């Protein structure tokens, strides 16, 4: 696939309103008078590739005069969109990468004065300041983007922080008490504050705590699908610990106090205005909408609550397995590095090139032809296939959301039944206490319990205190599990509602790259792109290209010389011809030739670090004479029509000199199997911007004989400057 197949503008500089350019060709020539928008086309691509370079920053406003918004979109292997209200920030070494993509006549300064060479040979000179500023800005932006993906229905972070705070309070008190079931290696204090949990990551902390608590109970290790399951397990283990905690209170009324305290905590889990009634069976819908709560009347009635809880546990287990299967399918289609979606995108991007390579390498081999046809079919239908995969992802996410909603509803029902069962057992045991009403409003019964405790006295043994904190920990674990399930459903719903998967992936990738960049060996450096030996080859290629331009022989080879230091550390460099002439002493035409050749050399040298295989030349013919036009066209043809994937570039050229442009187009006409488009910008108006026409150009079938005079003129142009 070509780097850019189309380019769309809305209110970008002189492109007032909406405009669309068809650039789907190996070679694109854009012609028109000065001031009609030719350079803006290359600048738009520059913005998409490199963000705000020094050249772009000097342009002034990017949005068309009189408008408040605008954007640029591209399709092809360089697919992207930028908003002109908040254009992309400048990337590291943007100016160097810009020069590897473009020759701009307006920026005809010496290559080395643009810090190209310094960036390559002295990457540590001032680079850290640039990197540090860029990373700090990027981190702040990523944090903002992650929080603004969708307005929250509830504050996720705040809800989790509150749940953690309630969780660590009983953990902290238990750490001080050191119950008998503590092992010598038990480290409960590490989970006793929100700060300690945050320092190691809350998910890692609760998993480790669960592992330590599980060591007390002889059982097989469990696997967990999500954090809510871990927290539910902590609550279950805590309830088991309550049963094995030894009793150390001799007074007969301490048992009553213990029961009253347990009932008080269970009643706190119920809506205060709900009405408690004795019943022979639980309500099938859990807590009734009319605010009535059933509790088991007799001990034999408990089994009905237990059966319903067992049924709920089975349903939750089935939903957990279903969720795991859906997550696995989603992983294969979307998330993992070798997913279906990524495979389709790779075929979409590279399939055409792969098919071309197979055709060149194996010809008409039957197996090769079958693979080539498969690739061609895949490329032709890739967008449709990608849409199908994305729809499959949306369908899977819908199923995951429905699964999470079911789990959330069943978890609420399970918690309600557990509270009803526990309250029923405790209230049956306290029926003989004349101070307590065993039916009525929850709030009234809680007041009765507090008065009964006051009359019995407030003595608490050590085991009472441990049981109290274990009860609190079980409740806090259940509460946090409920919060995590709510967060899970909310995040799934957000992702599906706004289709933020791609944005979230980009943010995650960005955060991962920033983390790598901040590592000791992760700083972006162009020294990783080109080493000194490669730089020598780059200069050798530069001189070979200049020779094709009939550059005066006394000027070649162009050398790189050290030009002192700027400040305390930054070394500077300059280009110098063989006879000592510096860049500033060259003619405008020679400067143009040197800058064009330098961009071509950088395009090859930095090929693995460029976003797209595209190169643009602005106002190409302005400083070239007829003798220089032919070798210049040869370089463009070599770039655009090469059969080598490594060397081929999509070439975009702008030109305003009518006669020279017509000659250039003749010299650039494509060979068989290659393509060329000519975009002629007719005029430009303040109200509507430019109007243009697009033509497909191809080699004419011309059988006429070339005259001696025409052949002689062509030979003179070719030999000009090569004979002494």
């Amino acid at each position: 696939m070509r780097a850019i197949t189309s380019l769309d503008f809305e209110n970008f500089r002189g492109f007032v309103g909406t405009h669309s350019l068809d650039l789907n060709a190996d070679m694109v020539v854009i012609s028109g008078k000065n001031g009609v928008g030719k350079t803006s086309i290359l600048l738009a691509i520059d913005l998409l590739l490199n963000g705000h370079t020094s050249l772009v920053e000097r342009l002034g406003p990017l949005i068309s005069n009189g408008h408040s918004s605008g954007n640029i979109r591209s399709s092809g292997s360089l697919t992207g969109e930028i908003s002109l209200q908040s254009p992309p920030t400048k990337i590291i070494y943007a100016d160097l990468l810009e020069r590897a993509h473009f020759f701009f006549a307006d920026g005809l300064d010496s290559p080395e004065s643009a810090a190209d060479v310094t960036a390559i040979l002295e990457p540590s000179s001032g680079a850290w300041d640039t990197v540090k500023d860029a990373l700090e800005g990027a981190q702040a932006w990523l944090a903002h983007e992650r929080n603004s993906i969708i307005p929250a229905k509830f504050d996720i972070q705040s809800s989790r922080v509150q749940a953690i705070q309630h969780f660590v309070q009983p953990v902290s008190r238990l750490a001080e008490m050191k119950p008998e079931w503590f092992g010598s290696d038990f480290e409960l204090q590490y989970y006793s504050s929100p700060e300690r949990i945050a320092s190691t990551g809350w998910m890692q902390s609760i998993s480790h705590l669960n592992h330590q608590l599980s060591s007390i109970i002889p059982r097989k290790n469990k696997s967990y699908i999500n954090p809510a399951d871990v927290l539910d397990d902590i609550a279950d283990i805590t309830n088991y610990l309550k049963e094995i905690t030894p009793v150390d209170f001799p007074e007969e009324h301490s048992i009553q106090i213990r029961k009253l305290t347990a009932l008080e905590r269970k009643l706190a889990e119920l809506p205060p205005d709900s009405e408690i009634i004795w019943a022979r069976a639980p309500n099938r819908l859990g807590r009734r909408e009319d605010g009535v709560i059933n509790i088991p009347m007799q001990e034999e009635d408990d089994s009905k609550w237990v059966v319903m809880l067992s049924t709920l546990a089975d349903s939750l287990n089935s939903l957990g397995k279903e969720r795991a299967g859906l997550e696995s399918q989603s992983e294969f289609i979307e998330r993992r590095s070798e997913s279906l979606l990524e495979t389709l995108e790779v075929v979409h991007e590279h399939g055409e090139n792969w098919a071309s390579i197979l055709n060149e390498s194996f010809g008409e081999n039957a197996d090769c032809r079958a693979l080539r046809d498969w690739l061609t079919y895949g490329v032709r239908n890739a967008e449709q296939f990608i849409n199908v995969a994305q729809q499959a992802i949306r369908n899977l996410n819908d199923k995951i959301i429905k699964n999470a909603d079911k789990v959330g509803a069943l978890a609420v029902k399970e918690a309600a039944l557990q509270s009803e069962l526990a309250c029923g057992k405790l209230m049956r045991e306290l029926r003989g206490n004349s101070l307590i009403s065993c039916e009525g409003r929850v709030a009234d019964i809680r007041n009765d319990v507090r008065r009964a405790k006051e009359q019995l006295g407030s003595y608490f043994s050590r085991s009472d205190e441990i049981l109290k904190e274990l009860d609190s920990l079980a409740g806090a674990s259940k509460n946090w599990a409920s919060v995590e399930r709510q967060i899970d459903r909310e995040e799934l719903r957000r992702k599906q509602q706004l289709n933020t998967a791609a944005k979230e992936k980009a943010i995650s990738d960005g955060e991962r790259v920033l983390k790598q960049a901040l590592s000791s060996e992760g700083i972006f450096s162009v020294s990783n792109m080109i080493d000194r030996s490669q730089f020598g080859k780059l200069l050798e290629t530069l001189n070979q290209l200049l020779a094709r331009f009939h550059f005066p022989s006394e000027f070649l080879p162009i050398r790189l010389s050290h030009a002192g230091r700027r400040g305390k550390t930054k070394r500077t460099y300059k280009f110098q011809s063989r006879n000592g002439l510096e860049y500033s002493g060259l003619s405008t035409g020679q400067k143009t030739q040197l800058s064009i050749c330098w961009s071509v050399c950088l395009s090859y040298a930095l090929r693995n670090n460029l976003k797209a295989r595209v190169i643009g030349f602005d106002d190409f013919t302005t400083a070239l004479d007829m003798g220089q036009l032919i070798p210049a066209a040869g370089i463009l043809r070599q770039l655009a029509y090469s059969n080598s994937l490594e060397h081929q570039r999509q070439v975009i050229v702008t030109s305003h000199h009518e006669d020279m442009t017509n000659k250039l187009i003749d010299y650039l006409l494509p060979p068989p199997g290659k393509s060329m488009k000519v975009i002629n910008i007719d005029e430009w108006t303040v109200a509507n911007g430019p109007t243009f026409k697009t033509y497909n150009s191809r080699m004419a079938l011309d059988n006429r004989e070339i005259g001696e005079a025409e052949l002689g003129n062509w030979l003179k142009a070719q030999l000009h400057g090569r004979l002494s």
Side-chain angles (χ1 to χ4, degrees):
M1 180 182 292
R2 295 185 180 92
I4 304 174
T5 55
S6 66
L7 193 63
D8 299 310
F9 305 96
E10 182 178 355
N11 301 327
F12 173 61
R13 302 192 78 210
F15 283 80
V16 183
T18 57
H19 300 268
S20 183
L21 288 174
D22 179 6
L23 303 179
N24 193 12
D26 300 308
M27 176 83 71
V28 179
V29 178
I30 303 170
S31 65
K33 299 177 182 177
N34 283 332
V36 295
K38 301 186 303 297
T39 301
S40 292
I41 296 170
L42 295 183
L43 289 171
I45 301 172
D46 192 8
L47 269 169
L48 287 163
L49 288 167
N50 304 310
H52 257 64
T53 64
S54 298
L55 177 61
V56 172
E57 287 175 349
R58 294 197 298 267
L59 296 176
L62 299 176
I63 300 176
S64 303
N65 189 29
H67 295 269
S68 59
S69 64
N71 59 63
I72 303 169
R73 291 184 299 276
S74 67
S75 59
S77 65
L78 177 64
T79 298
E81 179 175 356
I82 58 175
S83 168
L84 298 178
Q85 298 97 289
S86 54
T89 55
K90 187 173 183 178
I91 64 174
I92 303 171
Y93 296 116
D95 291 351
L96 173 62
L97 298 174
E98 176 186 65
R99 201 181 287 269
H101 276 298
F102 300 101
F103 159 76
F104 286 109
D106 289 343
L108 203 59
D109 54 349
S110 175
E112 78 275 10
S113 70
D116 297 355
V117 177
T118 305
I120 295 170
L121 297 183
E122 301 287 339
S124 61
S125 178
W128 171 243
D129 291 336
T130 306
V131 173
K132 185 179 179 182
D133 292 343
L135 294 186
E136 288 176 350
Q139 284 176 320
W141 180 85
L142 287 172
H144 175 268
E145 287 299 299
R146 182 175 287 283
N147 291 331
S148 64
I149 289 177
I150 179 175
K153 290 184 180 178
F154 70 101
D155 190 338
I156 288 177
Q157 190 61 27
S158 176
S159 300
R160 181 175 285 148
V161 168
Q162 289 178 9
I164 292 174
Q165 288 173 341
H166 290 148
F167 180 85
V168 300
Q169 288 171 4
V171 172
S172 176
R173 288 190 285 267
L174 284 169
E176 296 173 358
M177 294 177 187
K178 296 183 179 179
E180 287 73 8
W181 34 260
F182 265 33
S184 59
D185 59 344
F186 213 82
E187 300 171 334
L188 206 58
Q189 68 273 17
Y190 290 120
Y191 320 103
S192 59
S193 72
E195 294 75 21
R196 287 183 174 179
I197 286 181
S199 67
T200 56
W202 63 269
M203 182 60 189
Q204 182 179 346
S205 293
I206 62 171
S207 297
H208 189 231
L209 174 59
N210 183 63
H211 176 73
Q212 285 205 315
L213 290 173
S214 298
S215 65
I216 302 170
I217 304 174
R219 65 169 190 177
K220 294 181 180 179
N221 290 331
K222 286 188 176 183
S223 59
Y224 305 98
I225 298 172
N226 53 53
D229 293 336
V230 182
L231 290 160
D232 278 339
D233 202 35
I234 289 176
D236 292 342
I237 296 172
T238 304
N239 286 325
Y240 170 79
L241 293 176
K242 286 161 54 180
E243 296 176 7
I244 66 171
T245 298
V247 177
D248 63 352
F249 38 85
E251 296 86 349
E252 57 185 34
H253 66 264
S254 291
I255 298 175
Q256 289 282 80
I257 291 176
R258 175 176 169 180
K259 291 178 180 178
L260 289 168
T261 302
L263 178 59
E264 185 179 23
R265 286 194 290 270
K266 286 301 175 185
L267 290 171
E269 298 173 6
L270 304 177
D273 291 327
S274 297
E275 192 84 10
I276 290 179
I277 64 170
W278 296 104
R280 303 306 304 267
N283 190 293
R284 290 183 59 82
L285 299 178
R287 290 177 186 167
R288 294 169 52 178
E289 295 298 325
D290 59 6
V292 177
I293 298 174
N294 293 1
I295 61 173
M297 180 180 293
Q298 304 293 339
E299 186 174 349
E300 57 266 25
D301 297 329
D302 289 354
S303 61
K304 297 170 185 176
W305 270 259
V306 172
V307 168
M308 188 171 282
L309 282 168
S310 177
T311 302
L312 284 175
D314 291 341
S315 298
L316 287 168
N317 185 49
S318 297
L319 287 170
K321 291 178 180 178
E322 179 187 272
R323 173 70 178 269
L326 292 171
E327 293 283 1
S328 177
Q329 292 174 30
S330 182
E331 184 89 5
F332 275 103
I333 292 180
E334 177 190 18
R335 299 174 194 164
R336 58 187 294 173
S337 60
E338 298 174 357
S339 67
L340 172 61
L341 187 61
E342 181 172 299
T343 301
L344 290 172
E345 288 172 345
V346 170
V347 170
H348 189 203
E349 181 177 357
H350 299 294
E352 187 177 343
N353 291 332
W354 290 340
S356 176
I357 293 171
L358 289 169
N359 190 47
E360 293 174 7
S361 303
F362 297 99
E364 292 305 312
N365 176 280
D367 291 338
C368 174
R369 186 168 58 251
L371 178 56
R372 186 184 61 216
D373 292 344
W374 179 84
L375 286 169
T376 303
Y377 179 79
V379 171
R380 188 184 307 122
N381 296 280
E383 291 186 1
Q384 177 185 345
F385 293 159
I386 289 171
N387 288 336
V388 171
Q390 289 173 338
Q391 183 59 50
I393 292 166
R394 288 191 288 271
N395 292 342
L396 277 172
N397 285 340
D398 278 336
K399 291 180 180 179
I400 291 173
I401 289 172
K402 290 177 182 177
N403 176 283
D405 286 339
K406 289 179 182 177
V407 168
L410 291 180
V412 169
K413 189 174 180 180
E414 182 185 43
L417 287 170
Q418 288 172 340
S419 296
E420 291 169 10
L421 181 60
C423 283
K425 290 179 178 180
L426 289 167
M427 291 178 71
R428 286 199 306 268
E429 293 175 1
L430 293 167
R431 268 179 177 168
N433 191 319
S434 60
L435 297 175
I436 299 173
S437 302
C438 290
E439 281 189 322
R441 287 176 65 247
V442 170
D444 294 337
I445 298 174
R446 287 182 66 185
N447 289 333
D448 289 346
V449 169
R450 279 195 288 269
R451 283 194 295 269
K453 286 174 63 178
E454 289 172 1
Q455 286 201 12
L456 288 171
S458 58
Y459 169 77
F460 282 94
S461 67
R462 181 173 180 275
S463 59
D464 284 325
E465 294 291 345
I466 292 173
L467 290 167
K468 175 185 174 183
E469 298 308 333
L470 287 172
D471 216 12
S472 297
L473 179 56
S477 299
K478 284 290 185 183
N479 175 67
W480 189 0
S482 176
V483 169
E484 288 302 326
R485 287 193 175 94
Q486 189 178 4
I487 289 172
D488 180 47
R489 295 197 301 276
E490 179 70 8
E491 289 179 339
L492 284 169
R493 200 167 283 111
R494 291 184 191 184
K495 181 177 178 180
Q496 186 72 338
Q497 183 179 355
L498 292 186
N499 192 23
T500 59
K503 185 172 183 179
E504 288 179 325
K505 182 178 185 301
I507 291 174
S508 297
D509 289 346
E511 290 174 331
R512 174 178 51 79
V513 170
L514 287 178
K515 185 177 180 179
Q516 292 174 347
L518 287 169
S519 66
S520 59
E521 298 179 356
I523 300 173
F524 177 89
S525 170
V526 184
S527 62
N528 295 325
M529 299 182 186
I530 308 175
D531 60 28
R532 288 180 177 270
S533 64
Q534 290 173 312
F535 188 75
K537 294 177 181 177
L538 186 151
L539 287 178
E540 183 180 337
T541 304
L542 174 67
N543 283 291
Q544 290 172 353
L545 290 175
L546 289 172
R548 291 173 61 176
F549 267 108
H550 316 152
F551 218 73
S553 56
E554 65 270 19
F555 284 5
L556 297 179
I558 295 288
R559 303 187 311 276
L560 184 71
S561 64
H562 178 223
R565 292 185 180 273
R566 186 183 305 133
K568 294 182 178 180
T569 58
K570 184 172 288 187
R571 291 156 61 95
T572 59
Y573 298 85
K574 62 183 179 181
F575 279 133
Q576 202 167 40
S577 66
R578 188 174 70 173
N579 64 1
L581 193 65
E582 296 183 4
Y583 181 86
S584 58
L586 299 176
S587 68
T588 301
Q590 290 166 341
K591 289 179 181 178
T592 300
Q593 295 160 31
L594 177 57
S595 293
I596 288 173
C597 294
W598 180 244
S599 290
V600 172
C601 290
L602 285 179
S603 179
Y604 286 146
L606 301 176
R607 57 188 173 275
N608 295 326
N609 302 88
L610 303 179
K611 280 188 179 180
R613 291 186 296 108
V614 61
I615 189 167
F617 300 91
D618 185 42
D619 232 350
F620 189 71
T621 57
T622 298
L624 302 177
D625 58 33
M626 190 60 69
Q628 297 161 344
L629 190 62
I630 293 174
I635 292 173
L636 298 185
R637 291 180 66 85
Q638 183 176 342
L639 288 166
Y641 303 142
S642 172
N643 289 321
S644 165
L645 289 177
E646 183 178 9
H647 296 100
Q648 193 273 339
R649 300 287 184 273
Q650 184 180 19
V651 176
I652 303 175
V653 183
T654 74
S655 176
H656 79 274
H657 192 288
E658 187 172 353
D659 291 338
M660 295 285 279
T661 301
N662 290 335
K663 286 290 186 184
L664 178 64
I665 291 172
D666 287 341
Y667 296 149
L668 295 179
L669 289 172
K674 302 298 180 180
S675 59
M676 172 178 168
K677 289 185 183 293
V678 176
I679 299 174
N680 183 41
I681 302 179
D682 299 321
E683 60 179 19
W684 180 89
T685 63
V686 174
N688 301 311
T691 59
F692 46 83
K693 296 177 182 176
T694 304
Y695 306 92
N696 290 314
S697 300
R698 56 182 179 272
M699 193 77 72
L701 296 175
D702 189 354
N703 296 321
R704 67 183 178 84
E705 293 186 1
I706 300 174
E708 292 183 5
E710 186 176 356
L711 180 61
N713 290 334
W714 183 83
L715 286 171
K716 286 180 181 178
Q718 288 295 299
L719 296 174
H720 176 72
R722 299 192 183 190
L723 300 176
S724 56

